[in-house]
Amino acid sequence: MSFNDTREDGTVFRFLSSDRGMALPMVLVVIVIFVMFSAAILAMGLVDTEWSVLDSNKAQAYYYAHSGAEAVGSYIVENPDNLSSAELKKLVDKLVEKGESMPFKLSSSDEGTIRVNVTRSGKIISIISSSTYKGSSGSVTLNIEEKTAAGEPFDKTVYSESKLTIDEGGRIEGDIACLGKIYFNNGSVTGKVFISPNADSSAVEHPDWIRPVVDRLDEIYEYDVFPFPDYPAYPVGLPADSRTLSAGWNQTVEINNDVYYTNGIDVSNGTLKIIRNNTGRVIRTKYLHVSGTGQVVDVHSGGGNLELFIDDDLELSNDTNMIFNLGDGDIIIRARKLLLRQGHIIVNHKGNGRMYIYVDDIMSLGGSSSINYTYNADEEELMKRSRKVFLYYSGTEDENGNDTVSTDNNNWQSFPQDIRIAATIHVKEAKVHIANGTGIVGNLISGGGAVKFDGGTNTVAKVVYAPEADVYVSGGARITGVIICNSFDIKGGANVVYDEVGPEDMDFFKDVAGKITYAYGNWQ
Amino acid sequence: MRYIRDNGGFSIVEILVCMVLIGLIVVFILPSITFGYLQISESGGRTRAVYTARKVAENELANRENSGSDTLSITFGDGSDRVTINVRGRIVETEESFGAHGDKAKIRLFVPNK
């Protein structure tokens, strides 16, 4: 055959049929096409089958993994064995500590193996379950949220973890609870005495003439250490002024702009006005000393924040005042040292803003100093004011360099000499001593090892929250509110009076105090 | 016949070779195509069956009951300090047939009691 061959009729059929030997090439071409087609179909079929088998195995591996996570998750969340809140939390902590489980199967005939790993990130418990089945693997993560249900945990006047002692005329009005031993030597409790759910009456020791009404707790509540906040960072890049800003006798000086006084501010017998001009104001200074008849006045306008950063000490002496107008913006003060030597931080409440005072190293209070306190307000009004002012202290030494953290010495972070504070006070780790007629209104939170009230002090604290601390109340001290502590000791005619904790204060503690519950989160 | 004879287009050898080749196609290639097609069809059936089984499994998980009598024991750690939790529930096996030979796609899972 030749492709140059031409015919008069020109049809393909004729062309093909008239040439000898044409059928064989045609059949070969058809065979090649068929071979390619069949190879493609065969390959597609085999690959498709392989993938569908793989997909099937992957699905099975996934459901094995899902089974592991679902089983552990349901056990924690639904608590089928009715473990107490504390037991369940202990179990969860143990699972987290142990890490990955031993490999297991749904039944001995199953080919797939499952492993479950329980991890924690804050309040999120992650159950990571992985499995293998016929060479395929699957993995799922079920997140569970750990929640603290507030409410009942604050229905006792005193809730002590390890020990509770009532002696020398100490009096507690309301119920008390202790998971360890309770010693009545000479004192009274007007309410019930609650012991651990598993304890018997020997948990309460008392002389015959004292007849406490003993009951068992239904639940054991958890009281975590209240997280201490991160302090706001000292601002950088502010316009620097290297002069010492001084307000001398009858002088008035003003700060109208954001500024950094690198050589400090002295207000002695004069007035320093901080003018806000309807905006936020950021001031940093090496120190701020107010003495003589000096005063600092915040001329507030607008809803911006006032931020005052002091590299070294904020010292108020000689009955001097810092007067702040708390509008809808916040007032933030950070100082390395807060020295109130008969000084007063006065706060006029005009909006919904809050004041935060952060003290890094030294807090020395004395001489009838005050923070956010007014003698014109009744207790309820003072309590309201206290919810808007927060005093944080992270120091570990007193002004003389004595360690105030160790429970082996007698050095304390003191609130002495008739000082008055209406604020939520949060001390990170130092021992706290409320002494010498001091009056505090507001929640007192301690992460330290001891809190002591004595010397006729009057603390109207909604909650004294010191779950790690041994609390001592003596010397005629009076506390109104609820005390959460590690151990409690009352004597010397002191008394503690129960005061109901309302929703607003309850909400403040909702993340740390109460019954631990677990709720399903998301699958990943 | 006259048409072929007139044009002399096929020799007997040619025809024989072609018939052999066509025979080869029938014997070897067509079964491959058929096999490939069946494989595709079967994998499609398997995928459908797995999907249906998964649907049933999800339904079981979504509608948990409290009637399971199986126990899944999970042990964390080893030695004397290990922790074992025993979870009651049901081992569920969902099964779906597919293909001409009645093959089955299975999903086994544990559904804890509600």
Side-chain angles (χ1 to χ4, degrees):
Chain A
M1 183 189 79
S2 166
F3 284 99
N4 295 321
D5 196 1
T6 54
R7 303 290 171 105
E8 283 179 14
D9 55 17
T11 62
V12 173
F13 182 77
R14 276 175 183 272
F15 167 74
L16 291 174
S17 62
S18 63
D19 272 323
R20 281 178 182 273
M22 194 60 215
L24 184 58
M26 286 291 288
V27 169
L28 285 172
V29 167
V30 170
I31 283 182
V32 168
I33 291 169
F34 266 82
V35 165
M36 287 171 67
F37 181 66
S38 68
I41 292 268
L42 196 59
M44 281 169 66
L46 290 172
V47 169
D48 217 31
T49 300
E50 192 182 338
W51 277 102
S52 71
V53 169
L54 195 65
D55 183 53
S56 175
N57 292 344
K58 288 247 353 150
Q60 179 58 79
Y62 168 81
Y63 279 100
Y64 278 141
H66 194 286
S67 297
E70 185 91 40
V72 176
S74 71
Y75 192 85
I76 293 171
V77 173
E78 294 166 29
N79 189 14
D81 290 341
N82 292 319
L83 302 176
S84 71
S85 172
E87 287 169 332
L88 190 57
K89 183 171 190 300
K90 198 172 166 186
L91 174 73
V92 171
D93 290 343
K94 194 116 187 178
L95 297 184
V96 171
E97 178 196 322
K98 293 292 173 192
E100 194 170 64
S101 73
M102 305 294 283
F104 61 96
K105 297 178 175 185
L106 295 193
S107 65
S108 56
S109 61
D110 275 85
E111 289 184 59
T113 55
I114 310 166
R115 287 172 189 266
V116 179
N117 191 8
V118 183
T119 63
R120 173 192 284 276
S121 173
K123 296 278 183 185
I124 300 294
I125 312 292
S126 293
I127 301 165
I128 303 157
S129 180
S130 51
S131 74
T132 53
Y133 174 71
K134 290 185 176 174
S136 292
S137 59
S139 178
V140 295
T141 301
L142 170 60
N143 290 322
I144 284 175
E145 293 172 45
E146 188 178 82
K147 296 178 173 178
T148 306
E152 293 168 9
F154 293 134
D155 64 358
K156 313 285 186 294
T157 310
V158 178
Y159 193 107
S160 173
E161 177 83 17
S162 64
K163 194 174 84 169
L164 201 155
T165 307
I166 303 168
D167 205 352
E168 296 175 14
R171 176 181 168 83
I172 299 173
E173 293 183 21
D175 298 337
I176 62 172
C178 179
L179 303 183
K181 272 286 207 193
I182 300 175
Y183 301 95
F184 270 101
N185 297 325
N186 180 4
S188 62
V189 174
T190 62
K192 282 185 175 178
V193 175
F194 285 90
I195 57 178
S196 174
N198 305 318
D200 57 36
S201 58
S202 67
V204 184
E205 285 189 11
H206 56 90
D208 291 341
W209 53 273
I210 295 176
R211 298 245 185 273
V213 180
V214 179
D215 202 349
R216 288 192 180 86
L217 289 164
D218 294 329
E219 295 266 19
I220 295 175
Y221 293 106
E222 295 297 324
Y223 301 96
D224 293 339
V225 172
F226 204 104
F228 198 77
D230 294 328
Y231 284 8
Y234 279 90
V236 291
L238 290 173
D241 191 327
S242 59
R243 295 171 300 165
T244 300
L245 182 66
S246 298
W249 188 256
N250 282 341
Q251 271 186 317
T252 297
V253 293
E254 294 182 351
I255 297 178
N256 291 293
N257 297 299
D258 295 353
V259 64
Y260 179 14
Y261 284 101
T262 55
N263 274 310
I265 301 174
D266 269 317
V267 182
S268 52
N269 301 308
T271 300
L272 166 64
K273 286 187 177 176
I274 298 170
I275 312 292
R276 300 224 220 162
N277 282 339
N278 283 310
T279 184
R281 176 74 59 239
V282 183
I283 300 165
R284 181 174 176 179
T285 176
K286 184 181 178 188
Y287 63 82
L288 173 54
H289 294 165
V290 187
S291 60
T293 58
Q295 65 173 349
V296 176
V297 180
D298 159 36
V299 182
H300 159 262
S301 57
N305 292 349
L306 169 61
E307 298 174 53
L308 181 57
F309 292 89
I310 297 144
D311 295 347
D312 194 10
D313 59 321
L314 168 58
E315 181 175 11
L316 305 181
S317 53
N318 308 110
D319 220 11
T320 51
N321 297 332
M322 285 183 85
I323 302 167
F324 292 96
N325 292 301
L326 190 55
D328 286 333
D330 292 337
I331 296 175
I332 296 162
I333 301 172
R334 179 175 179 181
R336 196 171 76 76
K337 298 178 185 174
L338 176 63
L339 311 174
L340 296 186
R341 312 188 199 282
Q342 204 179 4
H344 307 281
I345 296 176
I346 296 167
V347 183
N348 297 318
H349 293 259
K350 296 177 173 180
N352 296 316
R354 293 181 166 195
M355 175 184 246
Y356 300 93
I357 303 171
Y358 301 97
V359 182
D360 287 274
D361 296 336
I362 305 293
M363 186 160 68
S364 178
L365 311 172
S368 304
S369 295
S370 70
I371 299 174
N372 189 33
Y373 198 91
T374 170
Y375 288 93
N376 299 326
D378 60 17
E379 212 166 76
E380 193 179 340
E381 176 60 23
L382 283 171
M383 186 56 76
K384 273 188 195 170
R385 295 169 69 96
S386 77
R387 294 191 186 105
K388 289 188 171 181
V389 177
F390 298 82
L391 173 60
Y392 296 103
Y393 174 62
S394 61
T396 57
E397 294 179 348
D398 64 16
E399 206 175 356
N400 299 317
N402 299 311
D403 167 46
T404 53
V405 175
S406 170
T407 52
D408 296 332
N409 63 39
N410 198 30
N411 306 315
W412 301 76
Q413 174 55 50
S414 278
F415 293 78
Q417 298 177 356
D418 202 29
I419 63 171
R420 293 283 182 271
I421 299 176
T424 293
I425 300 172
H426 190 164
V427 177
K428 187 178 183 183
E429 51 187 334
K431 294 173 295 177
V432 174
H433 185 192
I434 312 291
N436 308 120
T438 285
I440 289 177
V441 178
N443 298 314
L444 174 61
I445 302 165
S446 166
V451 180
K452 184 162 71 171
F453 300 83
D454 60 17
T457 54
N458 183 16
T459 304
V460 185
K462 275 294 176 189
V463 182
V464 175
Y465 191 82
E468 303 285 299
D470 301 326
V471 173
Y472 306 94
V473 186
S474 62
R478 176 186 171 87
I479 302 169
T480 307
V482 169
I483 298 172
I484 309 297
C485 55
N486 177 50
S487 78
F488 183 80
D489 188 307
I490 185 169
K491 61 186 178 186
N495 65 80
V496 183
V497 180
Y498 177 73
D499 187 20
E500 189 180 357
V501 179
E504 197 171 349
D505 291 295
M506 200 86 82
D507 192 55
F508 186 70
F509 290 96
K510 69 177 168 32
D511 291 333
V512 290
K515 184 180 165 186
I516 299 288
T517 61
Y518 296 91
Y520 285 113
N522 59 324
W523 287 90
Q524 290 175 338
Chain B
M1 285 300 287
R2 186 196 288 180
Y3 172 77
I4 293 171
R5 196 168 46 244
D6 286 351
N7 290 285
F10 295 108
S11 69
I12 186 70
V13 175
E14 232 183 342
I15 288 171
L16 285 174
V17 170
C18 289
M19 286 181 72
V20 168
L21 291 174
I22 288 166
L24 284 174
I25 288 175
V26 171
V27 172
F28 293 106
I29 297 177
L30 283 184
S32 296
I33 293 171
T34 309
F35 181 72
Y37 172 76
L38 286 175
Q39 289 284 296
I40 291 170
S41 173
E42 191 173 290
S43 66
R46 182 184 286 108
T47 304
R48 265 195 303 276
V50 169
Y51 171 76
T52 308
R54 290 183 73 147
K55 207 161 72 171
V56 174
E58 290 296 334
N59 205 35
E60 290 281 355
L61 286 167
N63 300 294
R64 288 161 49 195
E65 295 170 355
N66 200 21
S67 56
S69 57
D70 298 315
T71 300
L72 189 61
S73 292
I74 306 172
T75 302
F76 292 81
D78 50 14
S80 58
D81 196 27
R82 66 189 172 193
V83 184
T84 300
I85 59 172
N86 296 307
V87 187
R88 303 273 289 174
R90 282 187 307 138
I91 295 173
V92 175
E93 184 170 303
T94 65
E95 198 173 80
E96 285 295 317
S97 299
F98 67 93
H101 308 294
D103 292 331
K104 285 172 181 169
K106 289 180 190 173
I107 295 282
R108 276 170 67 79
L109 73 156
F110 180 79
V111 181
N113 283 348
K114 194 173 182 182

